[in-house]
Amino acid sequence: MEDSLLKKISILIFVYLASLTSLVLGQGTRLGFYKTSCPNVEVIVQSAVLSGFQANPRVAPGLLRMFFHDCFVNGCDVSILIDGPTSEKTAVPNVPLQGFDVIDAAKSRLEAICPGVVSCADILALAARDSVVLSGGIGWEVPTGRRDGLVSQASDVANLPAPNDPISVQIRKFADKQLNIQDLVTLVGGHTIGTASCATFSYRLYNFNNTNGSDPDINQAFLPQLRALCPNGGDESTRVGLDTGSINRFDTSYFENLRNGRGVLESDAKLWSDPTTQRVVQQYVGFRGLPRLRFNIEFGRSMVKMGNTEIKTGSQGQIRRICTAIN
């Protein structure tokens, strides 16, 4: 039995490394991009993320979500960091994000020792990985070499996956970014850390689809707990953990909750109720052993894949001197 498990683990690791290599080659990013130009880049980013995390653990899901929101809009070019009255940062889905100060702190330190070398896009990619590690997940190697974008419009954020998207829409939005169903379920599994406001899901609790009742995908034993947190007509800014019982820990309990009808967002709950995505969720159900290892390995693979989506490299874009403004 033990030999069989070790064999499965070895195969998973081999497949992961092979897929990571194929993703990096030909994408314009590579491992060790700053090896000679700024060799301490990862240590400096890790230090900034750790400081931010120790002051406020909510920066971990904030940075992870920030990377996701950035990559889905104009590619992974940190257009989400630019300040301005109509920039992406002002769009409703981005307003609750935390961790902007962590990116600024890392950039400031890097500019002091490697001026004009490290892009804000690469800082965010590294910070997202470090946030997962600090939350108890397994790290992965991050290929770098991205450059920073020059366009940031709040209107473009309409392309982001929404909390009420049906599975067909979720699949289409991910496919538009060359991400498949395995990537979809895996990356949404990032909801194992973080929270959502009552405004994003309270419609599921009281008058779902004008039925005067709740969403049938919600476990009836879980419903009173959600209603207590988000009373009808209450404060819709109240935030609720997306992974009940484990909101600060990067683990597979999120998928256990989906299976048990305890998904908070409608889009999350549909990952289990729809057979198209349920088969992937099933791979990650289990707190220990192979499911947890598989999720961590697949998450790193999908993050690398997403992180190479529509990126700017070479002479495209620029290396911003400060992350909040175009040079």
mmCIF file of all heavy atoms in Angstrom, residues 34-85:
data_model
loop_
_atom_site.group_PDB
_atom_site.id
_atom_site.type_symbol
_atom_site.label_atom_id
_atom_site.label_comp_id
_atom_site.label_asym_id
_atom_site.label_seq_id
_atom_site.Cartn_x
_atom_site.Cartn_y
_atom_site.Cartn_z
ATOM 1 N N TYR A 34 16.297 36.890 -13.233
ATOM 2 C CA TYR A 34 17.051 37.951 -12.553
ATOM 3 C C TYR A 34 18.320 37.414 -11.882
ATOM 4 O O TYR A 34 18.869 38.064 -10.983
ATOM 5 C CB TYR A 34 16.170 38.628 -11.506
ATOM 6 C CG TYR A 34 14.944 39.303 -12.085
ATOM 7 C CD1 TYR A 34 13.664 38.771 -11.884
ATOM 8 C CD2 TYR A 34 15.061 40.480 -12.825
ATOM 9 C CE1 TYR A 34 12.545 39.387 -12.406
ATOM 10 C CE2 TYR A 34 13.937 41.099 -13.348
ATOM 11 C CZ TYR A 34 12.684 40.545 -13.142
ATOM 12 O OH TYR A 34 11.565 41.157 -13.674
ATOM 13 N N LYS A 35 18.791 36.264 -12.287
ATOM 14 C CA LYS A 35 19.911 35.613 -11.617
ATOM 15 C C LYS A 35 21.137 36.508 -11.524
ATOM 16 O O LYS A 35 21.839 36.532 -10.500
ATOM 17 C CB LYS A 35 20.275 34.317 -12.354
ATOM 18 C CG LYS A 35 21.363 33.507 -11.672
ATOM 19 C CD LYS A 35 21.615 32.190 -12.391
ATOM 20 C CE LYS A 35 22.693 31.380 -11.705
ATOM 21 N NZ LYS A 35 22.935 30.080 -12.390
ATOM 22 N N THR A 36 21.414 37.265 -12.578
ATOM 23 C CA THR A 36 22.590 38.143 -12.547
ATOM 24 C C THR A 36 22.216 39.608 -12.339
ATOM 25 O O THR A 36 22.975 40.353 -11.730
ATOM 26 C CB THR A 36 23.393 38.017 -13.859
ATOM 27 O OG1 THR A 36 22.536 38.302 -14.974
ATOM 28 C CG2 THR A 36 23.941 36.609 -14.009
ATOM 29 N N SER A 37 21.041 40.015 -12.819
ATOM 30 C CA SER A 37 20.670 41.436 -12.749
ATOM 31 C C SER A 37 20.145 41.852 -11.387
ATOM 32 O O SER A 37 20.290 43.011 -10.980
ATOM 33 C CB SER A 37 19.624 41.764 -13.822
ATOM 34 O OG SER A 37 18.457 40.970 -13.638
ATOM 35 N N CYS A 38 19.527 40.902 -10.652
ATOM 36 C CA CYS A 38 19.024 41.217 -9.305
ATOM 37 C C CYS A 38 18.822 39.897 -8.554
ATOM 38 O O CYS A 38 17.694 39.439 -8.356
ATOM 39 C CB CYS A 38 17.709 41.997 -9.391
ATOM 40 S SG CYS A 38 17.232 42.790 -7.831
ATOM 41 N N PRO A 39 19.908 39.274 -8.142
ATOM 42 C CA PRO A 39 19.852 37.905 -7.616
ATOM 43 C C PRO A 39 19.042 37.725 -6.336
ATOM 44 O O PRO A 39 18.610 36.612 -6.037
ATOM 45 C CB PRO A 39 21.326 37.552 -7.386
ATOM 46 C CG PRO A 39 22.051 38.862 -7.319
ATOM 47 C CD PRO A 39 21.292 39.790 -8.220
ATOM 48 N N ASN A 40 18.820 38.791 -5.575
ATOM 49 C CA ASN A 40 18.088 38.658 -4.310
ATOM 50 C C ASN A 40 16.610 39.000 -4.424
ATOM 51 O O ASN A 40 15.938 39.192 -3.411
ATOM 52 C CB ASN A 40 18.729 39.558 -3.247
ATOM 53 C CG ASN A 40 20.107 39.064 -2.845
ATOM 54 O OD1 ASN A 40 20.358 37.870 -2.782
ATOM 55 N ND2 ASN A 40 21.018 40.000 -2.582
ATOM 56 N N VAL A 41 16.092 39.046 -5.637
ATOM 57 C CA VAL A 41 14.718 39.491 -5.834
ATOM 58 C C VAL A 41 13.720 38.648 -5.040
ATOM 59 O O VAL A 41 12.814 39.204 -4.394
ATOM 60 C CB VAL A 41 14.354 39.509 -7.343
ATOM 61 C CG1 VAL A 41 14.533 38.148 -7.994
ATOM 62 C CG2 VAL A 41 12.922 39.986 -7.530
ATOM 63 N N GLU A 42 13.850 37.328 -5.060
ATOM 64 C CA GLU A 42 12.859 36.488 -4.386
ATOM 65 C C GLU A 42 12.936 36.645 -2.868
ATOM 66 O O GLU A 42 11.910 36.647 -2.188
ATOM 67 C CB GLU A 42 13.028 35.029 -4.800
ATOM 68 C CG GLU A 42 12.739 34.800 -6.280
ATOM 69 C CD GLU A 42 12.299 33.380 -6.587
ATOM 70 O OE1 GLU A 42 11.813 32.680 -5.674
ATOM 71 O OE2 GLU A 42 12.430 32.973 -7.757
ATOM 72 N N VAL A 43 14.130 36.789 -2.338
ATOM 73 C CA VAL A 43 14.294 36.976 -0.893
ATOM 74 C C VAL A 43 13.646 38.285 -0.455
ATOM 75 O O VAL A 43 12.975 38.349 0.587
ATOM 76 C CB VAL A 43 15.786 36.968 -0.514
ATOM 77 C CG1 VAL A 43 15.977 37.321 0.955
ATOM 78 C CG2 VAL A 43 16.396 35.606 -0.811
ATOM 79 N N ILE A 44 13.826 39.327 -1.252
ATOM 80 C CA ILE A 44 13.275 40.643 -0.913
ATOM 81 C C ILE A 44 11.751 40.619 -0.969
ATOM 82 O O ILE A 44 11.070 41.152 -0.076
ATOM 83 C CB ILE A 44 13.858 41.718 -1.847
ATOM 84 C CG1 ILE A 44 15.350 41.916 -1.530
ATOM 85 C CG2 ILE A 44 13.099 43.034 -1.717
ATOM 86 C CD1 ILE A 44 16.091 42.758 -2.541
ATOM 87 N N VAL A 45 11.201 39.993 -1.985
ATOM 88 C CA VAL A 45 9.736 39.899 -2.081
ATOM 89 C C VAL A 45 9.187 39.063 -0.939
ATOM 90 O O VAL A 45 8.188 39.433 -0.305
ATOM 91 C CB VAL A 45 9.306 39.321 -3.445
ATOM 92 C CG1 VAL A 45 7.801 39.082 -3.473
ATOM 93 C CG2 VAL A 45 9.701 40.260 -4.578
ATOM 94 N N GLN A 46 9.823 37.946 -0.641
ATOM 95 C CA GLN A 46 9.387 37.105 0.476
ATOM 96 C C GLN A 46 9.376 37.871 1.787
ATOM 97 O O GLN A 46 8.444 37.743 2.597
ATOM 98 C CB GLN A 46 10.313 35.887 0.600
ATOM 99 C CG GLN A 46 10.122 34.833 -0.459
ATOM 100 C CD GLN A 46 11.203 33.769 -0.422
ATOM 101 O OE1 GLN A 46 12.115 33.810 0.416
ATOM 102 N NE2 GLN A 46 11.137 32.819 -1.341
ATOM 103 N N SER A 47 10.400 38.686 2.003
ATOM 104 C CA SER A 47 10.484 39.472 3.229
ATOM 105 C C SER A 47 9.340 40.475 3.332
ATOM 106 O O SER A 47 8.739 40.643 4.397
ATOM 107 C CB SER A 47 11.829 40.202 3.282
ATOM 108 O OG SER A 47 11.905 41.049 4.404
ATOM 109 N N ALA A 48 9.022 41.122 2.210
ATOM 110 C CA ALA A 48 7.939 42.103 2.208
ATOM 111 C C ALA A 48 6.592 41.436 2.460
ATOM 112 O O ALA A 48 5.748 41.947 3.210
ATOM 113 C CB ALA A 48 7.917 42.851 0.876
ATOM 114 N N VAL A 49 6.384 40.273 1.837
ATOM 115 C CA VAL A 49 5.123 39.546 2.029
ATOM 116 C C VAL A 49 5.003 39.059 3.471
ATOM 117 O O VAL A 49 3.931 39.167 4.082
ATOM 118 C CB VAL A 49 5.014 38.370 1.041
ATOM 119 C CG1 VAL A 49 3.750 37.548 1.322
ATOM 120 C CG2 VAL A 49 5.001 38.863 -0.402
ATOM 121 N N LEU A 50 6.092 38.556 4.028
ATOM 122 C CA LEU A 50 6.069 38.087 5.411
ATOM 123 C C LEU A 50 5.732 39.223 6.370
ATOM 124 O O LEU A 50 4.915 39.060 7.278
ATOM 125 C CB LEU A 50 7.419 37.470 5.777
ATOM 126 C CG LEU A 50 7.580 37.011 7.232
ATOM 127 C CD1 LEU A 50 6.550 35.935 7.569
ATOM 128 C CD2 LEU A 50 9.002 36.489 7.476
ATOM 129 N N SER A 51 6.335 40.378 6.166
ATOM 130 C CA SER A 51 6.049 41.532 7.037
ATOM 131 C C SER A 51 4.581 41.927 6.940
ATOM 132 O O SER A 51 3.929 42.195 7.954
ATOM 133 C CB SER A 51 6.938 42.715 6.649
ATOM 134 O OG SER A 51 8.303 42.439 6.900
ATOM 135 N N GLY A 52 4.064 41.976 5.723
ATOM 136 C CA GLY A 52 2.666 42.322 5.536
ATOM 137 C C GLY A 52 1.738 41.287 6.147
ATOM 138 O O GLY A 52 0.728 41.635 6.774
ATOM 139 N N PHE A 53 2.082 40.028 5.992
ATOM 140 C CA PHE A 53 1.263 38.929 6.517
ATOM 141 C C PHE A 53 1.242 38.943 8.043
ATOM 142 O O PHE A 53 0.204 38.702 8.662
ATOM 143 C CB PHE A 53 1.823 37.605 6.001
ATOM 144 C CG PHE A 53 1.085 36.388 6.475
ATOM 145 C CD1 PHE A 53 -0.097 35.998 5.875
ATOM 146 C CD2 PHE A 53 1.604 35.612 7.508
ATOM 147 C CE1 PHE A 53 -0.777 34.856 6.311
ATOM 148 C CE2 PHE A 53 0.940 34.474 7.940
ATOM 149 C CZ PHE A 53 -0.254 34.100 7.342
ATOM 150 N N GLN A 54 2.388 39.216 8.654
ATOM 151 C CA GLN A 54 2.444 39.256 10.113
ATOM 152 C C GLN A 54 1.617 40.407 10.679
ATOM 153 O O GLN A 54 1.042 40.296 11.759
ATOM 154 C CB GLN A 54 3.900 39.371 10.574
ATOM 155 C CG GLN A 54 4.707 38.097 10.344
ATOM 156 C CD GLN A 54 6.180 38.266 10.661
ATOM 157 O OE1 GLN A 54 6.736 39.365 10.569
ATOM 158 N NE2 GLN A 54 6.838 37.163 11.033
ATOM 159 N N ALA A 55 1.548 41.504 9.933
ATOM 160 C CA ALA A 55 0.750 42.648 10.373
ATOM 161 C C ALA A 55 -0.733 42.427 10.122
ATOM 162 O O ALA A 55 -1.584 42.888 10.890
ATOM 163 C CB ALA A 55 1.215 43.915 9.657
ATOM 164 N N ASN A 56 -1.043 41.697 9.028
ATOM 165 C CA ASN A 56 -2.445 41.486 8.651
ATOM 166 C C ASN A 56 -2.538 40.245 7.768
ATOM 167 O O ASN A 56 -2.261 40.309 6.570
ATOM 168 C CB ASN A 56 -2.986 42.708 7.904
ATOM 169 C CG ASN A 56 -4.417 42.503 7.427
ATOM 170 O OD1 ASN A 56 -5.097 41.565 7.841
ATOM 171 N ND2 ASN A 56 -4.872 43.378 6.546
ATOM 172 N N PRO A 57 -2.939 39.095 8.327
ATOM 173 C CA PRO A 57 -3.001 37.851 7.545
ATOM 174 C C PRO A 57 -3.917 37.930 6.320
ATOM 175 O O PRO A 57 -3.790 37.102 5.414
ATOM 176 C CB PRO A 57 -3.529 36.826 8.564
ATOM 177 C CG PRO A 57 -3.124 37.369 9.895
ATOM 178 C CD PRO A 57 -3.238 38.868 9.753
ATOM 179 N N ARG A 58 -4.796 38.941 6.279
ATOM 180 C CA ARG A 58 -5.704 39.043 5.130
ATOM 181 C C ARG A 58 -4.980 39.455 3.848
ATOM 182 O O ARG A 58 -5.550 39.362 2.762
ATOM 183 C CB ARG A 58 -6.811 40.068 5.434
ATOM 184 C CG ARG A 58 -7.861 39.562 6.427
ATOM 185 C CD ARG A 58 -8.956 40.583 6.646
ATOM 186 N NE ARG A 58 -9.668 40.912 5.422
ATOM 187 C CZ ARG A 58 -10.587 41.872 5.322
ATOM 188 N NH1 ARG A 58 -10.876 42.613 6.392
ATOM 189 N NH2 ARG A 58 -11.204 42.099 4.183
ATOM 190 N N VAL A 59 -3.717 39.864 3.966
ATOM 191 C CA VAL A 59 -2.994 40.209 2.743
ATOM 192 C C VAL A 59 -2.702 38.956 1.913
ATOM 193 O O VAL A 59 -2.492 39.057 0.701
ATOM 194 C CB VAL A 59 -1.681 40.970 3.008
ATOM 195 C CG1 VAL A 59 -1.926 42.214 3.828
ATOM 196 C CG2 VAL A 59 -0.626 40.086 3.658
ATOM 197 N N ALA A 60 -2.690 37.779 2.534
ATOM 198 C CA ALA A 60 -2.397 36.550 1.790
ATOM 199 C C ALA A 60 -3.468 36.270 0.733
ATOM 200 O O ALA A 60 -3.156 36.192 -0.465
ATOM 201 C CB ALA A 60 -2.224 35.365 2.732
ATOM 202 N N PRO A 61 -4.745 36.128 1.129
ATOM 203 C CA PRO A 61 -5.759 35.961 0.084
ATOM 204 C C PRO A 61 -5.881 37.190 -0.800
ATOM 205 O O PRO A 61 -6.227 37.077 -1.985
ATOM 206 C CB PRO A 61 -7.045 35.708 0.873
ATOM 207 C CG PRO A 61 -6.791 36.243 2.240
ATOM 208 C CD PRO A 61 -5.325 36.021 2.480
ATOM 209 N N GLY A 62 -5.571 38.369 -0.248
ATOM 210 C CA GLY A 62 -5.639 39.592 -1.049
ATOM 211 C C GLY A 62 -4.662 39.575 -2.197
ATOM 212 O O GLY A 62 -5.008 39.907 -3.346
ATOM 213 N N LEU A 63 -3.430 39.171 -1.938
ATOM 214 C CA LEU A 63 -2.402 39.125 -2.980
ATOM 215 C C LEU A 63 -2.690 38.023 -3.991
ATOM 216 O O LEU A 63 -2.474 38.190 -5.192
ATOM 217 C CB LEU A 63 -1.027 38.920 -2.350
ATOM 218 C CG LEU A 63 -0.464 40.129 -1.597
ATOM 219 C CD1 LEU A 63 0.739 39.724 -0.750
ATOM 220 C CD2 LEU A 63 -0.074 41.242 -2.565
ATOM 221 N N LEU A 64 -3.158 36.874 -3.493
ATOM 222 C CA LEU A 64 -3.500 35.783 -4.399
ATOM 223 C C LEU A 64 -4.632 36.197 -5.325
ATOM 224 O O LEU A 64 -4.579 35.984 -6.541
ATOM 225 C CB LEU A 64 -3.900 34.544 -3.592
ATOM 226 C CG LEU A 64 -4.274 33.297 -4.396
ATOM 227 C CD1 LEU A 64 -3.131 32.868 -5.307
ATOM 228 C CD2 LEU A 64 -4.684 32.159 -3.459
ATOM 229 N N ARG A 65 -5.665 36.825 -4.759
ATOM 230 C CA ARG A 65 -6.801 37.288 -5.566
ATOM 231 C C ARG A 65 -6.367 38.400 -6.512
ATOM 232 O O ARG A 65 -6.836 38.490 -7.644
ATOM 233 C CB ARG A 65 -7.910 37.768 -4.630
ATOM 234 C CG ARG A 65 -9.318 37.451 -5.095
ATOM 235 C CD ARG A 65 -9.711 35.998 -4.814
ATOM 236 N NE ARG A 65 -10.046 35.800 -3.429
ATOM 237 C CZ ARG A 65 -9.508 34.840 -2.676
ATOM 238 N NH1 ARG A 65 -8.593 34.050 -3.154
ATOM 239 N NH2 ARG A 65 -9.875 34.682 -1.433
ATOM 240 N N MET A 66 -5.464 39.262 -6.061
ATOM 241 C CA MET A 66 -4.982 40.361 -6.894
ATOM 242 C C MET A 66 -4.308 39.828 -8.162
ATOM 243 O O MET A 66 -4.525 40.349 -9.265
ATOM 244 C CB MET A 66 -4.001 41.222 -6.094
ATOM 245 C CG MET A 66 -3.615 42.535 -6.760
ATOM 246 S SD MET A 66 -2.279 43.377 -5.844
ATOM 247 C CE MET A 66 -3.006 43.570 -4.209
ATOM 248 N N PHE A 67 -3.493 38.801 -8.009
ATOM 249 C CA PHE A 67 -2.816 38.204 -9.155
ATOM 250 C C PHE A 67 -3.832 37.627 -10.135
ATOM 251 O O PHE A 67 -3.744 37.826 -11.349
ATOM 252 C CB PHE A 67 -1.852 37.118 -8.669
ATOM 253 C CG PHE A 67 -1.026 36.495 -9.763
ATOM 254 C CD1 PHE A 67 -0.149 37.262 -10.519
ATOM 255 C CD2 PHE A 67 -1.112 35.138 -10.025
ATOM 256 C CE1 PHE A 67 0.628 36.689 -11.518
ATOM 257 C CE2 PHE A 67 -0.343 34.551 -11.017
ATOM 258 C CZ PHE A 67 0.523 35.329 -11.778
ATOM 259 N N PHE A 68 -4.814 36.929 -9.609
ATOM 260 C CA PHE A 68 -5.871 36.348 -10.437
ATOM 261 C C PHE A 68 -6.642 37.444 -11.174
ATOM 262 O O PHE A 68 -6.850 37.364 -12.391
ATOM 263 C CB PHE A 68 -6.815 35.534 -9.552
ATOM 264 C CG PHE A 68 -7.916 34.828 -10.290
ATOM 265 C CD1 PHE A 68 -7.737 33.538 -10.766
ATOM 266 C CD2 PHE A 68 -9.136 35.447 -10.513
ATOM 267 C CE1 PHE A 68 -8.754 32.884 -11.442
ATOM 268 C CE2 PHE A 68 -10.156 34.810 -11.197
ATOM 269 C CZ PHE A 68 -9.968 33.517 -11.655
ATOM 270 N N HIS A 69 -7.063 38.466 -10.451
ATOM 271 C CA HIS A 69 -7.831 39.558 -11.063
ATOM 272 C C HIS A 69 -7.004 40.300 -12.106
ATOM 273 O O HIS A 69 -7.537 40.774 -13.110
ATOM 274 C CB HIS A 69 -8.304 40.533 -9.985
ATOM 275 C CG HIS A 69 -9.447 40.021 -9.169
ATOM 276 N ND1 HIS A 69 -10.344 40.854 -8.516
ATOM 277 C CD2 HIS A 69 -9.863 38.753 -8.891
ATOM 278 C CE1 HIS A 69 -11.251 40.122 -7.884
ATOM 279 N NE2 HIS A 69 -10.965 38.846 -8.098
ATOM 280 N N ASP A 70 -5.707 40.425 -11.860
ATOM 281 C CA ASP A 70 -4.851 41.106 -12.822
ATOM 282 C C ASP A 70 -4.698 40.289 -14.098
ATOM 283 O O ASP A 70 -4.839 40.804 -15.205
ATOM 284 C CB ASP A 70 -3.476 41.370 -12.211
ATOM 285 C CG ASP A 70 -2.545 42.080 -13.175
ATOM 286 O OD1 ASP A 70 -2.904 43.184 -13.634
ATOM 287 O OD2 ASP A 70 -1.482 41.538 -13.496
ATOM 288 N N CYS A 71 -4.419 38.994 -13.953
ATOM 289 C CA CYS A 71 -4.163 38.150 -15.120
ATOM 290 C C CYS A 71 -5.389 38.019 -16.018
ATOM 291 O O CYS A 71 -5.250 37.846 -17.232
ATOM 292 C CB CYS A 71 -3.691 36.766 -14.685
ATOM 293 S SG CYS A 71 -2.020 36.758 -13.964
ATOM 294 N N PHE A 72 -6.569 38.106 -15.444
ATOM 295 C CA PHE A 72 -7.786 37.959 -16.235
ATOM 296 C C PHE A 72 -8.172 39.239 -16.971
ATOM 297 O O PHE A 72 -9.116 39.239 -17.760
ATOM 298 C CB PHE A 72 -8.946 37.480 -15.352
ATOM 299 C CG PHE A 72 -9.190 36.005 -15.455
ATOM 300 C CD1 PHE A 72 -8.349 35.102 -14.827
ATOM 301 C CD2 PHE A 72 -10.240 35.507 -16.202
ATOM 302 C CE1 PHE A 72 -8.546 33.737 -14.930
ATOM 303 C CE2 PHE A 72 -10.460 34.146 -16.318
ATOM 304 C CZ PHE A 72 -9.613 33.254 -15.681
ATOM 305 N N VAL A 73 -7.455 40.321 -16.695
ATOM 306 C CA VAL A 73 -7.752 41.598 -17.360
ATOM 307 C C VAL A 73 -6.470 42.121 -18.001
ATOM 308 O O VAL A 73 -5.541 42.531 -17.304
ATOM 309 C CB VAL A 73 -8.305 42.628 -16.350
ATOM 310 C CG1 VAL A 73 -8.635 43.932 -17.059
ATOM 311 C CG2 VAL A 73 -9.549 42.081 -15.660
ATOM 312 N N ASN A 74 -6.382 42.069 -19.288
ATOM 313 C CA ASN A 74 -5.201 42.545 -20.039
ATOM 314 C C ASN A 74 -3.955 41.711 -19.790
ATOM 315 O O ASN A 74 -2.839 42.153 -20.053
ATOM 316 C CB ASN A 74 -4.891 44.018 -19.718
ATOM 317 C CG ASN A 74 -6.057 44.935 -20.042
ATOM 318 O OD1 ASN A 74 -6.735 44.740 -21.045
ATOM 319 N ND2 ASN A 74 -6.284 45.932 -19.202
ATOM 320 N N GLY A 75 -4.114 40.502 -19.261
ATOM 321 C CA GLY A 75 -2.957 39.658 -18.991
ATOM 322 C C GLY A 75 -2.255 40.042 -17.700
ATOM 323 O O GLY A 75 -2.615 41.004 -17.024
ATOM 324 N N CYS A 76 -1.219 39.285 -17.337
ATOM 325 C CA CYS A 76 -0.507 39.494 -16.071
ATOM 326 C C CYS A 76 0.499 40.632 -16.223
ATOM 327 O O CYS A 76 1.713 40.405 -16.319
ATOM 328 C CB CYS A 76 0.202 38.211 -15.652
ATOM 329 S SG CYS A 76 -0.867 36.759 -15.605
ATOM 330 N N ASP A 77 -0.015 41.858 -16.216
ATOM 331 C CA ASP A 77 0.845 43.036 -16.453
ATOM 332 C C ASP A 77 0.672 44.107 -15.386
ATOM 333 O O ASP A 77 1.040 45.259 -15.584
ATOM 334 C CB ASP A 77 0.545 43.635 -17.830
ATOM 335 C CG ASP A 77 -0.851 44.242 -17.925
ATOM 336 O OD1 ASP A 77 -1.673 44.011 -17.008
ATOM 337 O OD2 ASP A 77 -1.119 44.943 -18.913
ATOM 338 N N VAL A 78 0.105 43.716 -14.245
ATOM 339 C CA VAL A 78 -0.187 44.592 -13.105
ATOM 340 C C VAL A 78 -0.890 45.894 -13.474
ATOM 341 O O VAL A 78 -0.679 46.929 -12.836
ATOM 342 C CB VAL A 78 1.075 44.888 -12.248
ATOM 343 C CG1 VAL A 78 1.513 43.673 -11.494
ATOM 344 C CG2 VAL A 78 2.210 45.463 -13.040
ATOM 345 N N SER A 79 -1.762 45.833 -14.458
ATOM 346 C CA SER A 79 -2.620 46.992 -14.732
ATOM 347 C C SER A 79 -3.522 47.256 -13.530
ATOM 348 O O SER A 79 -4.016 48.373 -13.345
ATOM 349 C CB SER A 79 -3.460 46.750 -15.994
ATOM 350 O OG SER A 79 -4.105 45.485 -15.949
ATOM 351 N N ILE A 80 -3.684 46.242 -12.676
ATOM 352 C CA ILE A 80 -4.524 46.378 -11.490
ATOM 353 C C ILE A 80 -3.903 47.310 -10.451
ATOM 354 O O ILE A 80 -4.591 47.811 -9.560
ATOM 355 C CB ILE A 80 -4.784 44.996 -10.868
ATOM 356 C CG1 ILE A 80 -5.945 45.043 -9.881
ATOM 357 C CG2 ILE A 80 -3.524 44.456 -10.183
ATOM 358 C CD1 ILE A 80 -6.396 43.686 -9.399
ATOM 359 N N LEU A 81 -2.606 47.583 -10.544
ATOM 360 C CA LEU A 81 -1.933 48.401 -9.527
ATOM 361 C C LEU A 81 -1.959 49.890 -9.826
ATOM 362 O O LEU A 81 -1.661 50.708 -8.952
ATOM 363 C CB LEU A 81 -0.470 47.953 -9.390
ATOM 364 C CG LEU A 81 -0.219 46.530 -8.907
ATOM 365 C CD1 LEU A 81 1.283 46.280 -8.782
ATOM 366 C CD2 LEU A 81 -0.907 46.265 -7.580
ATOM 367 N N ILE A 82 -2.299 50.277 -11.042
ATOM 368 C CA ILE A 82 -2.226 51.683 -11.447
ATOM 369 C C ILE A 82 -3.333 52.496 -10.774
ATOM 370 O O ILE A 82 -4.494 52.108 -10.765
ATOM 371 C CB ILE A 82 -2.331 51.809 -12.979
ATOM 372 C CG1 ILE A 82 -1.129 51.126 -13.635
ATOM 373 C CG2 ILE A 82 -2.408 53.267 -13.407
ATOM 374 C CD1 ILE A 82 -1.187 51.080 -15.147
ATOM 375 N N ASP A 83 -2.946 53.623 -10.201
ATOM 376 C CA ASP A 83 -3.914 54.542 -9.598
ATOM 377 C C ASP A 83 -4.575 55.394 -10.679
ATOM 378 O O ASP A 83 -3.982 55.653 -11.734
ATOM 379 C CB ASP A 83 -3.218 55.473 -8.596
ATOM 380 C CG ASP A 83 -2.864 54.763 -7.298
ATOM 381 O OD1 ASP A 83 -3.498 53.731 -6.992
ATOM 382 O OD2 ASP A 83 -1.949 55.241 -6.594
ATOM 383 N N GLY A 84 -5.781 55.872 -10.379
ATOM 384 C CA GLY A 84 -6.492 56.736 -11.315
ATOM 385 C C GLY A 84 -7.985 56.631 -11.088
ATOM 386 O O GLY A 84 -8.476 55.606 -10.580
ATOM 387 N N PRO A 85 -8.742 57.673 -11.456
ATOM 388 C CA PRO A 85 -10.184 57.698 -11.167
ATOM 389 C C PRO A 85 -10.972 56.622 -11.898
ATOM 390 O O PRO A 85 -12.071 56.251 -11.457
ATOM 391 C CB PRO A 85 -10.604 59.105 -11.609
ATOM 392 C CG PRO A 85 -9.560 59.525 -12.604
ATOM 393 C CD PRO A 85 -8.283 58.898 -12.129
#
